[in-house]
Amino acid sequence: MAKATLTAEVVMNEAVAAIDGVLAATDVDDFTDDDKITPREVRQFLARLRLLEGVPFSNIVADSALLPIESIRFFYVDRGWTDALTQGALSVGTVNTGDRAQLDRLYGAIEDEIDSEERLVRLPGGEERQAGRAGLMTGFLLRSRAVSGWPGLHVRAYAREPDGNDEEILPESHPDRLKLLRLERLAPAVMLALFDGMPEVVHIEEPKRGLQFGVSLTETASNTYSASIPARNVQTANYVDENGAEVETMAEAKRLPVRFRPGSPGVLDLANTGRAFLDDDSLGMGSTLDGAEFALQMIRFPYRQVFGDPQVTSDFDIAAVFRPTLSKEVGALTTDFERVFDAD
Amino acid sequence: MPIELDPQFLNTAITSPRWSVIARTGLGVDDFATWDPKIIRKPRLIVPIDVQALYVEEGSTEAFVRLPGAISTPDGDPPEPSPAPLAPGASRPSGVHLHWAMPDAVMNGEMQDVEGDGLGLAPLPNRWLVMRLLAPEGAERMAVTGWVIEADTTRVIALKDWKEDTPEGSAPTGKTLKGRDLNAGAGGSLAWTASYDATLNRFAFHDPLTDIAEVASQGVFSDVATYLIAGWWSRAAEDPLDAARTASGFASVTEELGWRVNADTSGQTAVTEQAMLYQAELATFGVESASRFALIDTGSLASSTALSGAQGAEVFLPEGGRFVAVEPKHIYSTLLNGIVHGVPVAGRVPADQRPDPRRVRAALGPQVEDSIAALTAAAMEGDDLDARAETERLIAALTNDQVAKLGERNGAVEIEEREHAARFEAERGRDYSIEKIIDRGGPENLIAGRAARNRAGTTERQQTERTLATDLTWSATKPGVVGVVPEHLGFTSNYFEREGRPQAEPKVRSVRRPGPRYFRALEPVVAIRDAKRSRRHQEDGVASPDGTLTCRWPSQIPIVIPGGISGRQHLEPFPHGALPDEVVRLAQNAVITDPFTTPWLAQQAAPTSPFPQSVLAARLRGEVALRYSRDGVYDGTVPGFTVQAKRGEASVPGPMEAALGDQLRRHSLLDGVDAAPLGVTVWAQPWSPIWLEWEVELDLTDRLTGWALGQVDYDATPPPGGATRVMSGRSPINNGAAESLTATVTNWMIAEDLRDAEDEGQLDEDGEKEVRAVYKHLTNADVISATLSGVHEALLGLPEAPDGQVEAPDEKIAPTDLPQLLFSGRMRVRAARLVDAFGRVLDLEPGKVVHPAALIAPGAGLELPPRLTRPARIAFRLADPADGAALPREATINQERPDLMVNPVAGFLLPDLIDEALEVFDVAGNPLGQLQHEPIGGGVVWEIAPGREGPADAGPLYDLPPSAQPLGRFAAAMIEADARTRGGTALSAKRETALSAFLRAVDTTLWSIDTFASLGTPHIAGLVGRPMAVVRATIRMQIYDDLDLLDLSAPGARAARKAVYDDLADRAFRARLGEFTRDDDGVYGYFINDDYRRFHVVDKIVKTRALESGRRRGHFAALGGARIPQPDPIDHPYLVGEDEFPIHLGEVIRLTILMHPAGKVHLTSGILPRKSLQLARDWVDAGLGRMAPSARIGPVLIDPDKVRLPKIASFGEDQIWTRRDTPFLWKDDPILAATQAAILPDAPAAIEEGYVRIATAPIPGTEGEGS
């Protein structure tokens, strides 16, 4: 009679059957107390990888011509590409089909856990946690002096134009406001932003570091500028137009000229500028000008660049804006090829 | 009637000096007549022995087997032949046949050097007193009849005539054995002292009872007698207590002997002193006693000489030395004593201990544990074979301490392996190898702190370090024999104190590794249950909780019961001048403690007692009741408080019973220490089985036809048979195996209870219940076993060993027949019976003999898988890959000179299953090249390793050192096998290449090897892949022939026997390498005899159950696809599906094994125990540490200015980008770690393909940019 109790066949069957075993939890979610099968560090690492952290810049922008100076490039993130990236990271140490089968068994659960972890990587105070499967991820790369000159630019993305008004700021909790998954300066002048969804409008705003005076410059001749500010009624602080009527936006406001000291370019001539304010009746000033009234006129709020304002229409094909070009001309390429072949 | 005395004569008599001496010494006239001045009369330690008496009534026809042994005929006579096993036997003369067991303490020996003293057995006592006490009706005193036996000469002398060196007495009946010759092995077998016939007139005696009418003319009270046996050594030097010289020495000697002496130091000292005074007084009358030591006049010493003391003690004295002779104060000696009460002297046999044969069960198995397991399982599970197999496995797990692993994969395999291995005995071969190991010492050699600082800064001190200089002088002329120069000693001790322990430098040790052992199959074993084993031998301490034998001082022996009962008064005086004094006291004690004669004693004592007879009788009955169990067994317990033991058996009292017994014993009037249960027997017809006589039928073949190599052993259904032969024999019985099995189970249960308390139990409740059931069966069962020895000798054509005879050493045996070296088939017990010490028999029913469930052959026999009758071995050795000889050099370890080490590892392979490639490294870890698929045709091609010098089309054998040749030949053969299979055409979609097939086989094997990479490796290669070592080994099966061991002087005998050995070489034994069922086995496959065109997988299943895999196929596609890979059998001819290979005796098989560097290689042959080998770290560590896969990358965009790529984390800091610049050259560039930093170079990137490698040399110009 057969004596062996454990044959190779049994071992093989058991090894294969073991793949379908129960998944063991290794961690617990701090907020929800849900079991997590992926260890916390691995989960966090993979979520950051999904947000392209650690991905060499040359793998995102293969050639500098793709991101010229003073340009912004909006993009979608290919989830297939990031999935491959995380799978690659997970495949370390999985050498044979046995390892891979075990990983495969885990992969669905790992994917779900990274989905939720992805939104926790950047979680500024007061912002609520968001859940659900990861969806479309978009973003932009901005290469500009604005990035280096104004560290701490504000970036806001909206799924819909807020109330049709570029000056509106919706709170983080607003459903139209897209969660910012990542915002990072990759170089002094290069900024990367990633959004949790597809924005209609993106606001990029100067940092609100404090109150400042400022003027608008208009080039009147070569290297010659005239300065002006929008007019306000100092009684109501609202902008006023040419007719003295109060208006909603700065764009509609009347321009008040600002004077510079003669012979000293860049130095404001406060006395004459103040006097010009007093002379203007539509500003609601009295007979004298005090410091507060002067300041009210001179205060400049942070500048905000709005991308994708649906009210702005263009006469060109937006899709044609991005057109890849090769830095070498075809003729030069031909020469190069010939040189290589000659060498062989 | 008053005696009339002549007053004149009386007056003369009582004033004579003789009267004075008699009155003052208390000795009788007979004592003076037999006075022996050589007897030591200092008090002896009374050590109990077991005495049994066989009563054969007048006209009895019961047949007894006579087993006389080698020395039971007088000097000059040939030994009396033993009867054939199962022979009918003969009746014994009527009377009482006494036999007493030797104490365990003198039966033990230790195997000495082969040329030395053999077992070094102690001499047995050579003087025995046999004393019969019986109570004659109407007499006042017990009648004493005595005999003294000279065990060395087998003479019996009547007590009245006894005196040392007396010419009186019977003629010797056996050989004379003087001194140490009389020992436990003297009779030709270690069991000879257990047999009545072999020890007659040494440790056995026949009392024909013919003088009863004369001694007790009015009849004997109750028709019973008491026999008292006392034994001693006539030469004090042979006494085991002679070794003790001080009180503490006495304690350690008795401890070693297993004797416990009740502390009675003061009493003993007093008695000793009293005795000494008495002896001194006697001496003044010229009545002298011996002393162990005598003072020797120094003047008689002419020169240094060895002196023999009067009693044989030897001392060395320095020549011309001055010494003071002092008589040692503390000397000890022994008196053995046993007693049997109630032996019938007339009538029928009233009680018998022999068990009912219908209750006895037996099992036949390949070895003792198998047999006991089969017996237990059959008793528990009946005819359910599956349940029996389960229980047997559980018992095997318990015996092998594998219970914890029962549920584990390796555990199940290991139990089977161990069960199989337990059926062999090992013998060391004479070959060996030397390994050089550097011993760096333990942590104690690590010095730290001040000692280390001192050491670091004191070169000078080290230079002036002085060695321990001590002059040791041994002088034969000076009294001061040892001289030491004190200054030196002082210096060294100070030196060491100041410096601490000096740091040990690493030492090189030469370790002698013995060659592979030879294994011989054990002979089958019969286990018998409920045959009422005897506890006479090797169980002296059974009645005491600590396993020691309780002994007494003479002063502790009670001889009086207060109230008028005195042993002295009711014992007839007997001459004891030539006997140790204690025998008198022992006999007097026997009178008052005999449970059979209490009414008689009460009646005799009443006239002189203040109490009436009824009171005395009640008291005597009470004393008996305090000491004897309800079955009448003297076992030291109090009846009513112990579990009832089986009839005739001693029961060991538990702590509670002992405590209760102690409390009740307070009411005893006997003032003294009771004898240990061993020393007192209450008679019943004895039964102490010592032999199993058996007859078996063997149905054997010497071919392997019909057998298949199973998991561990050969299987056949049904086992093929051939010629039937019948064998018989007589085997000694032992209890040890059952005892140790029970002890193992008990220990496991105790440990499990402790583990359970910590919630770490090895078994669940159900499992534990099973174990408890097994335990219950084992402990309740009374199991003995006997090996059917002689079966293998018979198969080898050797004459039957002369049973119980002394063999002449160095004499070669002449075979009677040609040997059957290989046998297999079945075995059946035809008849068997147990034979006891007196030759009584108990027949077993052969039809009821059971077998281990896994080995039941059809027809109720035991299946005998193929075995060799002579010791054999498979020399499975790792070998030098550079040595192309038929028998290459063996691998060695040499840590001192690694360059001289023979490393069996040829190199390493690193399979890349994802890209379907196989990278090849040499033993130092340098890459040699890679087997991969050619991108267009799909065939297997070789690519030289990136960075390795050589043309792009260099073949696998290009520029290889000899040790790496197997790697090149392996790679070349794989390309060849692939090309041959493809027939020169491109690979079709339906077929796979040899490389793919190989990799799939490796991948499938990896499901069983190291499933969770637990074998582990600290190296990169182990982290990113599963490196395989390519190892060279040889297998050679050898049998240890007996051509030089036998007397083959007969014409043609040697040639004929050698021809049988030669003939065995044509048997193709089967062998298997690797074990798929064990996860510590690391074999992927192997090549036989350098044939690299055929790769042997580790198990058939690898080919049939191979899983679908390949480049972007199966599980190597994106995750989230197929859950379980589908089987896709391999049909490529490169892989051999047969996992066994034939192996012939003497043939050398060269193997190239692909294995996990940390795994084992198991060699399964069935015919011998499974063997495993493992690679030493010294062979693989360096290579694995250096070895790193080169990652083939591309096409990728490379900044032509600086190579920025993500670095491979596990490759370390220095990495290079290697690609072919020209077909002959490689270009290396350092890699700068690519980061997220948005570096936007001005020049456009170029597309390149190449390898990321670990830089082996510093890369110039890598400073600056980095992370």
Side-chain angles (χ1 to χ4, degrees):
Chain A
M1 60 183 294
K3 296 175 199 69
T5 48
L6 191 69
T7 59
E9 189 82 32
V10 173
V11 168
M12 194 69 203
N13 290 341
E14 285 189 1
V16 172
I19 299 295
D20 270 336
V22 182
L23 301 183
T26 61
D27 192 21
V28 175
D29 191 300
D30 290 341
F31 292 90
T32 60
D33 272 354
D34 291 342
D35 284 342
K36 299 280 183 190
I37 61 146
T38 322
R40 180 173 300 223
E41 288 73 20
V42 177
R43 217 163 62 221
Q44 290 173 348
F45 170 79
L46 292 175
R48 288 173 183 278
L49 205 55
R50 281 254 195 107
L51 303 178
L52 308 178
E53 269 191 34
V55 177
F57 189 71
S58 58
N59 289 54
I60 300 172
V61 180
D63 195 299
S64 50
L66 294 170
L67 190 63
I69 294 164
E70 294 306 327
S71 68
I72 184 165
R73 294 287 184 254
F74 288 94
F75 56 79
Y76 294 94
V77 176
D78 181 354
R79 284 284 185 186
W81 198 88
T82 51
D83 282 351
L85 188 61
T86 49
Q87 286 192 11
L90 283 169
S91 72
V92 171
T94 57
V95 175
N96 63 327
T97 49
D99 304 334
R100 296 281 298 176
Q102 290 175 37
L103 179 61
D104 207 10
R105 167 86 175 98
L106 294 171
Y107 184 68
I110 295 176
E111 209 176 14
D112 289 347
E113 290 180 9
I114 313 172
D115 277 359
S116 51
E117 194 70 30
E118 191 179 285
R119 298 194 171 98
L120 304 179
V121 173
R122 185 177 176 279
L123 192 67
E127 203 171 305
E128 282 183 14
R129 284 161 56 91
Q130 297 183 18
R133 286 194 68 86
L136 182 64
M137 182 158 63
T138 60
F140 67 77
L141 270 167
L142 172 64
R143 182 180 182 188
S144 166
R145 277 185 299 170
V147 178
S148 53
W150 284 267
L153 288 176
H154 290 268
V155 175
R156 285 185 291 276
Y158 299 104
R160 259 202 316 267
E161 169 86 289
D163 289 344
N165 185 344
D166 288 344
E167 291 174 18
E168 188 71 30
I169 296 177
L170 298 180
E172 298 271 2
S173 56
H174 195 282
D176 282 348
R177 173 123 177 223
L178 294 184
K179 179 171 169 53
L180 196 54
L181 294 172
R182 184 173 174 201
L183 182 68
E184 192 170 339
R185 278 206 317 166
L186 300 181
V190 179
M191 173 185 270
L192 170 72
L194 292 175
F195 305 123
D196 186 7
M198 168 71 176
E200 187 180 55
V201 180
V202 173
H203 293 182
I204 300 178
E205 195 177 57
E206 282 178 37
K208 293 174 179 169
R209 289 269 162 74
L211 293 174
Q212 58 187 1
F213 289 180
V215 298
S216 302
L217 295 177
T218 312
E219 193 169 17
T220 51
S222 175
N223 212 20
T224 311
Y225 298 87
S226 73
S228 66
I229 54 168
R232 288 179 200 263
N233 184 332
V234 295
Q235 303 300 322
T236 63
N238 286 329
Y239 293 114
V240 291
D241 64 7
E242 295 291 346
N243 307 319
E246 295 191 356
V247 290
E248 284 285 311
T249 63
M250 189 171 68
E252 298 165 78
K254 175 170 70 176
R255 309 302 298 185
L256 296 177
V258 177
R259 297 177 201 289
F260 290 83
R261 283 193 190 167
S264 303
V267 179
L268 283 178
D269 180 352
L270 290 179
N272 280 323
T273 304
R275 209 165 292 130
F277 291 167
L278 280 175
D279 292 348
D280 195 326
D281 293 340
S282 61
L283 303 181
M285 291 192 180
S287 53
T288 56
L289 177 72
D290 61 16
E293 287 167 345
F294 182 79
L296 190 62
Q297 292 299 349
M298 289 300 290
I299 278 177
R300 285 280 69 78
F301 289 103
Y303 183 76
R304 179 183 304 163
Q305 178 64 49
V306 177
F307 292 93
D309 187 342
Q311 291 165 15
V312 178
T313 54
S314 64
D315 54 355
F316 57 88
D317 178 11
I318 191 81
V321 169
F322 171 67
R323 189 178 298 112
T325 57
L326 286 173
S327 67
K328 282 191 178 177
E329 289 175 11
V330 175
L333 269 180
T334 312
T335 318
D336 275 3
F337 278 124
E338 280 170 352
R339 182 174 54 77
V340 172
F341 280 110
D342 286 347
D344 289 348
Chain B
M1 195 175 75
I3 302 167
E4 287 191 13
L5 292 169
D6 176 0
Q8 189 63 39
F9 173 73
L10 194 61
N11 191 36
T12 314
I14 62 173
T15 53
S16 70
R18 187 177 295 177
W19 179 269
S20 165
V21 169
I22 289 173
R24 286 158 67 185
T25 58
L27 296 170
V29 179
D30 289 343
D31 297 328
F32 284 107
T34 58
W35 189 260
D36 183 355
K38 291 182 189 156
I39 292 273
I40 293 175
R41 287 176 216 279
K42 290 183 182 172
R44 293 166 181 260
L45 186 69
I46 312 292
V47 178
I49 56 168
D50 179 71
V51 183
Q52 296 290 341
L54 174 81
Y55 170 65
V56 179
E57 63 186 89
E58 201 77 48
S60 162
T61 54
E62 186 182 353
F64 297 87
V65 178
R66 267 183 55 80
L67 296 171
I71 50 171
S72 53
T73 48
D75 289 328
D77 288 5
E80 188 181 346
S82 292
L86 301 166
S91 60
R92 288 201 186 280
S94 65
V96 173
H97 300 263
L98 292 163
H99 178 257
W100 48 97
M102 293 296 105
D104 292 349
V106 295
M107 295 296 285
N108 297 328
E110 209 170 276
M111 185 53 94
Q112 314 281 317
D113 198 350
V114 180
E115 276 85 33
D117 218 5
L119 282 171
L121 292 164
L124 300 177
N126 61 352
R127 294 289 176 267
W128 291 93
L129 167 69
V130 178
M131 199 184 275
R132 184 185 68 205
L133 309 178
L134 43 80
E137 291 282 12
E140 204 178 291
R141 294 174 159 185
M142 277 208 173
V144 177
T145 315
W147 301 265
V148 172
I149 297 176
E150 289 183 355
D152 43 7
T153 62
T154 64
R155 289 193 319 136
V156 179
I157 301 110
L159 178 59
K160 61 181 173 46
D161 300 330
W162 165 247
K163 194 175 176 181
E164 198 68 56
D165 302 329
T166 177
E168 302 285 331
S170 65
T173 59
K175 305 258 179 302
T176 303
L177 298 167
K178 285 290 185 190
R180 286 191 169 267
D181 290 346
L182 182 65
N183 60 38
S189 141
L190 288 176
W192 81 280
T193 61
S195 162
Y196 171 83
D197 291 299
T199 57
L200 185 63
N201 293 343
R202 295 186 203 267
F203 317 121
F205 176 70
H206 175 219
D207 177 5
L209 301 176
T210 44
D211 59 340
I212 296 290
E214 187 187 323
V215 173
S217 52
Q218 293 176 35
V220 179
F221 181 79
S222 288
D223 279 339
V224 294
T226 290
Y227 285 90
L228 183 147
I229 310 293
W232 64 97
W233 283 264
S234 65
R235 282 164 55 86
E238 287 160 10
D239 192 310
L241 288 181
D242 185 60
R245 281 288 178 275
T246 61
S248 62
F250 174 74
S252 68
V253 169
T254 48
E255 190 184 336
E256 199 175 306
L257 295 169
W259 295 346
R260 184 174 58 172
V261 185
N262 282 327
D264 181 21
T265 321
S266 58
Q268 175 53 27
T269 311
V271 169
T272 306
E273 281 169 7
Q274 209 177 337
M276 301 306 290
L277 286 173
Y278 178 62
Q279 298 304 332
E281 198 179 336
L282 284 184
T284 60
F285 303 120
V287 184
E288 289 193 354
S289 295
S291 171
R292 182 153 318 149
F293 298 91
L295 298 184
I296 298 160
D297 178 18
T298 51
S300 67
L301 301 172
S303 60
S304 172
T305 179
L307 302 176
S308 289
Q311 293 290 337
E314 292 178 350
V315 289
F316 267 106
L317 295 174
E319 188 184 358
R322 296 165 68 82
F323 56 89
V324 179
V326 179
E327 190 174 7
K329 284 208 169 60
H330 301 278
I331 53 167
Y332 303 92
S333 45
T334 314
L335 185 74
L336 304 171
N337 167 239
I339 196 161
V340 51
H341 292 296
V343 183
V345 292
R348 301 182 61 82
V349 174
D352 195 342
Q353 296 190 55
R354 183 166 52 185
D356 181 351
R358 287 168 304 184
R359 292 193 57 228
V360 179
R361 293 282 178 274
L364 174 66
Q367 55 107 1
V368 65
E369 280 155 9
D370 286 332
S371 301
I372 295 175
L375 199 57
T376 311
M380 287 171 69
E381 312 290 353
D383 292 334
D384 183 347
L385 278 187
D386 287 338
R388 269 167 59 179
E390 280 294 308
T391 307
E392 285 169 17
R393 185 158 297 120
L394 177 66
I395 296 174
L398 285 164
T399 11
N400 292 311
D401 198 16
Q402 297 280 313
V403 178
K405 293 186 179 171
L406 260 181
E408 289 175 18
R409 179 171 135 199
N410 283 357
V413 187
E414 233 161 77
I415 291 167
E416 279 181 28
E417 277 178 29
R418 291 197 185 198
E419 261 189 300
H420 179 251
R423 295 170 190 167
F424 295 86
E425 62 185 347
E427 204 173 286
R428 188 180 282 187
R430 292 194 182 274
D431 44 349
Y432 63 90
S433 59
I434 300 282
E435 288 178 358
K436 300 262 186 180
I437 307 290
I438 293 183
D439 186 357
R440 294 178 200 285
E444 72 276 7
N445 284 332
L446 295 175
I447 56 165
R450 197 175 138 204
R453 287 196 294 279
N454 284 349
R455 191 177 149 75
T458 54
T459 340
E460 200 182 339
R461 190 183 296 175
Q462 278 181 355
Q463 281 169 350
T464 58
E465 183 176 313
R466 290 157 73 183
T467 50
L468 173 69
T470 306
D471 283 346
L472 296 177
T473 323
W474 178 265
S475 165
T477 52
K478 283 189 248 172
V481 288
V482 179
V484 172
V485 184
E487 298 86 349
H488 288 186
L489 266 187
F491 164 74
T492 42
S493 63
N494 286 342
Y495 178 81
F496 284 114
E497 265 173 33
R498 200 169 58 241
E499 285 298 292
R501 191 190 163 124
Q503 172 80 346
E505 294 298 332
K507 286 181 201 134
V508 178
R509 280 191 295 131
S510 290
V511 180
R512 190 178 156 127
R513 299 253 183 255
R517 291 175 299 171
Y518 284 93
F519 289 93
R520 189 211 314 253
L522 292 173
E523 287 170 310
V525 171
V526 173
I528 304 154
R529 181 186 157 92
D530 294 332
K532 211 165 187 183
R533 68 182 155 137
S534 155
R535 310 195 80 140
R536 297 183 83 193
H537 305 289
Q538 300 300 325
E539 295 192 41
D540 277 1
V542 71
S544 77
D546 62 352
T548 54
L549 179 63
T550 307
C551 305
R552 296 180 291 176
W553 290 113
S555 59
Q556 294 168 332
I557 300 170
I559 53 168
V560 168
I561 300 177
I565 303 175
S566 158
R568 193 180 291 141
Q569 186 184 343
H570 298 289
L571 180 72
E572 192 178 82
F574 56 93
H576 62 273
L579 301 176
D581 282 347
E582 291 77 15
V583 295
V584 180
R585 201 172 172 96
L586 287 168
Q588 290 166 352
N589 170 258
V591 172
I592 62 164
T593 54
D594 185 351
F596 290 84
T597 53
T598 49
W600 175 86
L601 186 59
Q603 188 189 356
Q604 303 311 326
T608 53
S609 164
F611 300 103
Q613 184 183 342
S614 61
V615 173
L616 293 177
R619 163 50 59 182
L620 285 168
R621 276 201 304 274
E623 295 290 348
V624 169
L626 283 176
R627 286 168 179 80
Y628 293 82
S629 77
R630 83 175 75 196
D631 298 320
V633 178
Y634 177 82
D635 58 8
T637 59
V638 177
F641 294 100
T642 52
V643 184
Q644 193 171 0
K646 285 183 189 164
R647 193 173 156 70
E649 267 188 24
S651 57
V652 182
M656 177 67 85
E657 289 77 27
L660 282 168
D662 273 355
Q663 291 307 308
L664 282 173
R665 202 64 66 80
R666 290 165 62 191
H667 302 288
S668 169
L669 293 181
L670 280 176
D671 179 19
V673 178
D674 285 338
L678 180 76
V680 179
T681 306
V682 176
W683 183 88
Q685 194 74 314
W687 171 247
S688 50
I690 51 171
W691 299 100
L692 175 74
E693 292 184 337
W694 47 270
E695 185 178 85
V696 291
E697 183 186 283
L698 292 148
D699 185 4
L700 300 180
T701 165
D702 64 347
R703 294 276 154 186
L704 291 158
T705 323
W707 292 94
L709 182 57
Q711 203 69 29
V712 180
D713 202 349
Y714 279 94
D715 281 338
T717 314
T724 306
R725 58 196 288 181
V726 175
M727 290 182 194
S728 60
R730 182 181 296 120
S731 310
I733 279 169
N734 77 70
N735 315 335
E739 293 275 305
S740 66
L741 189 57
T742 313
T744 310
V745 179
T746 315
N747 290 343
W748 182 86
M749 294 212 311
I750 294 168
E752 180 74 358
D753 283 345
L754 291 173
R755 285 189 291 264
D756 279 347
E758 299 286 324
D759 212 15
E760 289 171 355
Q762 294 180 345
L763 286 186
D764 55 14
E765 277 305 308
D766 286 349
E768 256 181 69
K769 222 164 110 186
E770 289 264 317
V771 177
R772 275 182 211 289
V774 167
Y775 172 74
K776 207 171 133 199
H777 265 86
L778 279 175
T779 44
N780 287 348
D782 168 14
V783 179
I784 51 180
S785 61
T787 306
L788 304 189
S789 46
V791 171
H792 287 186
E793 273 85 351
L795 288 172
L796 281 168
L798 304 179
E800 262 182 65
D803 188 30
Q805 305 297 320
V806 183
E807 282 182 50
D810 305 328
E811 195 176 296
K812 287 185 176 176
I813 302 167
T816 54
D817 201 352
L818 288 176
Q820 177 172 352
L821 296 172
L822 172 68
F823 68 92
S824 71
R826 46 201 158 204
M827 174 187 246
R828 190 171 66 84
V829 176
R830 294 218 317 186
R833 72 178 184 192
L834 291 166
V835 178
D836 96 329
F838 293 95
R840 307 185 78 204
V841 297
L842 178 78
D843 289 313
L844 305 180
E845 288 181 54
K848 288 189 179 171
V849 175
V850 295
H851 308 290
L855 292 172
I856 297 177
L862 172 72
E863 180 181 314
L864 298 175
R867 295 287 185 264
L868 292 164
T869 36
R870 286 290 305 162
R873 68 178 180 184
I874 295 186
F876 178 27
R877 310 302 272 174
L878 297 171
D880 185 1
D883 189 349
L887 185 59
R889 287 194 301 164
E890 278 190 18
T892 58
I893 290 177
N894 191 332
Q895 295 182 338
E896 185 189 18
R897 292 280 308 276
D899 54 313
L900 297 180
M901 178 163 76
V902 177
N903 189 339
V905 180
F908 301 95
L909 304 177
L910 193 64
D912 176 356
L913 300 167
I914 295 170
D915 281 338
E916 292 202 286
L918 185 67
E919 209 169 346
V920 182
F921 297 83
D922 70 8
V923 68
N926 300 312
L928 297 177
Q930 177 162 298
L931 285 163
Q932 60 191 39
H933 288 115
E934 191 264 315
I936 298 166
V940 180
V941 289
W942 170 262
E943 189 184 77
I944 194 166
R948 185 175 164 218
E949 281 193 17
D953 62 348
L957 288 158
Y958 172 77
D959 196 25
L960 288 182
S963 67
Q965 286 292 326
L967 298 169
R969 293 166 69 189
F970 156 73
M974 185 189 279
I975 295 169
E976 183 199 328
D978 180 62
R980 197 175 46 234
T981 313
R982 280 187 294 120
T985 59
L987 191 71
S988 73
K990 288 181 188 166
R991 298 213 63 164
E992 63 183 339
T993 61
L995 176 60
S996 299
F998 173 84
L999 289 173
R1000 285 210 295 134
V1002 167
D1003 176 55
T1004 307
T1005 313
L1006 270 170
W1007 278 77
S1008 127
I1009 295 179
D1010 193 18
T1011 321
F1012 296 100
S1014 54
L1015 285 179
T1017 160
H1019 312 298
I1020 299 168
L1023 292 173
V1024 299
R1026 300 277 182 276
M1028 297 189 271
V1030 180
V1031 178
R1032 289 276 282 172
T1034 55
I1035 286 181
R1036 192 160 44 133
M1037 188 171 176
Q1038 294 167 307
I1039 190 164
Y1040 184 27
D1041 68 43
D1042 54 7
L1043 298 176
D1044 294 331
L1045 307 175
L1046 298 177
D1047 172 13
L1048 297 172
S1049 54
R1054 189 180 175 88
R1057 202 165 180 89
K1058 187 166 186 310
V1060 178
Y1061 278 98
D1062 295 343
D1063 181 47
L1064 194 65
D1066 78 349
R1067 308 291 196 286
F1069 296 98
R1070 311 296 297 174
R1072 203 168 51 230
L1073 264 194
E1075 180 52 61
F1076 196 84
T1077 52
R1078 290 190 67 122
D1079 63 8
D1080 59 349
D1081 185 279
V1083 179
Y1084 294 92
Y1086 50 92
F1087 298 96
I1088 294 179
N1089 286 336
D1090 301 339
D1091 179 5
Y1092 292 99
R1093 294 168 305 169
R1094 291 160 62 78
F1095 179 63
H1096 295 256
V1097 292
V1098 65
D1099 198 296
K1100 286 196 264 292
I1101 196 173
V1102 173
K1103 259 194 105 170
T1104 55
R1105 290 287 303 271
L1107 302 164
E1108 183 195 2
S1109 78
R1111 197 173 163 90
R1112 295 186 195 134
R1113 288 220 325 265
H1115 269 298
F1116 296 121
L1119 288 172
R1123 178 54 56 86
I1124 299 295
Q1126 292 306 304
D1128 179 11
I1130 301 172
D1131 59 358
H1132 199 286
Y1134 177 62
L1135 267 62
V1136 184
E1138 188 56 50
D1139 52 14
E1140 293 168 20
F1141 54 91
I1143 172 169
H1144 294 87
L1145 270 168
E1147 176 196 20
V1148 178
I1149 298 179
R1150 295 186 306 282
L1151 294 164
T1152 307
I1153 307 169
L1154 308 190
M1155 63 182 287
H1156 191 297
K1160 290 180 182 165
V1161 191
H1162 289 88
L1163 176 70
T1164 310
S1165 62
I1167 197 121
L1168 291 169
R1170 192 180 259 185
K1171 184 182 168 95
S1172 70
L1173 288 183
Q1174 212 167 354
L1175 294 178
R1177 286 178 71 96
D1178 302 74
W1179 294 328
V1180 293
D1181 248 19
L1184 286 174
R1186 184 182 170 85
M1187 185 174 148
S1190 41
R1192 191 189 179 94
I1193 311 275
V1196 286
L1197 287 168
I1198 297 284
D1199 177 358
D1201 184 26
K1202 279 180 175 159
V1203 179
R1204 286 175 208 279
L1205 283 172
K1207 283 191 177 174
I1208 298 175
S1210 51
F1211 274 21
E1213 194 54 39
D1214 295 331
Q1215 297 180 18
I1216 48 175
W1217 173 245
T1218 302
R1219 67 272 191 206
R1220 278 231 181 248
D1221 209 13
T1222 70
F1224 293 94
L1225 292 174
W1226 295 93
K1227 189 180 179 198
D1228 291 339
D1229 276 312
I1231 297 175
L1232 297 176
T1235 63
Q1236 279 250 277
I1239 297 163
L1240 291 158
D1242 297 332
I1247 292 177
E1248 284 183 2
E1249 261 187 293
Y1251 297 84
V1252 176
R1253 298 194 306 134
I1254 294 176
T1256 48
I1259 312 162
T1262 49
E1263 64 280 353
E1265 286 184 82
S1267 50

